[in-house]
Amino acid sequence: PPSNWVNNKLQRNQFLIMLDGLDEVADKNQRQQVRTWVDSQIQNYQDTVFILTSRPNGYRQVQSHVAVDELEVQPFNREQITNFLQQWYLQTEIKRRPEQYYDAVKQVAEEKANNLIERIVNSRPLVTMAVNPLLLQMIATVHSHNNTLPGKRVELYKQICQILLEKRQQAKK
């Protein structure tokens, strides 16, 4: 890009800046330095929207010098879990079976979603995990990949890691 391209775009409010994982900066002093730098960017480009993600503990351990809106991911309730899984499976099956008729794909998606919903509702450990949107998506990914779920939480986490690593390797070819 031409020199000053980024700065010009920032000055004209033509960017949305998204920074993910402040809490993943392991060293607290470095995390504070990152947070201070982000604060200065927010002050320098006041009309630009900044989104900074972090787990609560990683965020609260550092001080901010700017007033910002803080939003927290809230746990899903049962209705939201059901809705999420129905929509997630519908989109997954549409992507997996693009040549099939919508009604047939929808029926397969409903069956798979209902199967997983029943498994979750009948398992206290799964209900505890499923209220977290990210964990629910991971549970759905394992269920979709294997058509089943392991009996133990540690095995579920193991399969989540295996699937994510496998997908990463496939993406890298």
Side-chain angles (χ1 to χ4, degrees), residues 6-45:
V6 171
N7 192 42
N8 290 337
K9 295 285 188 183
L10 282 167
Q11 293 292 346
R12 290 189 217 128
N13 190 24
Q14 294 180 328
F15 277 138
L16 165 66
I17 307 298
M18 300 173 68
L19 305 166
D20 183 35
L22 176 65
D23 60 299
E24 293 175 21
V25 179
D27 180 79
K28 186 178 175 185
N29 292 329
Q30 287 181 330
R31 191 174 333 124
Q32 182 62 62
Q33 290 173 348
V34 170
R35 181 59 217 228
T36 301
W37 179 84
V38 170
D39 286 349
S40 69
Q41 302 314 305
I42 291 171
Q43 289 175 326
N44 291 339
Y45 305 101

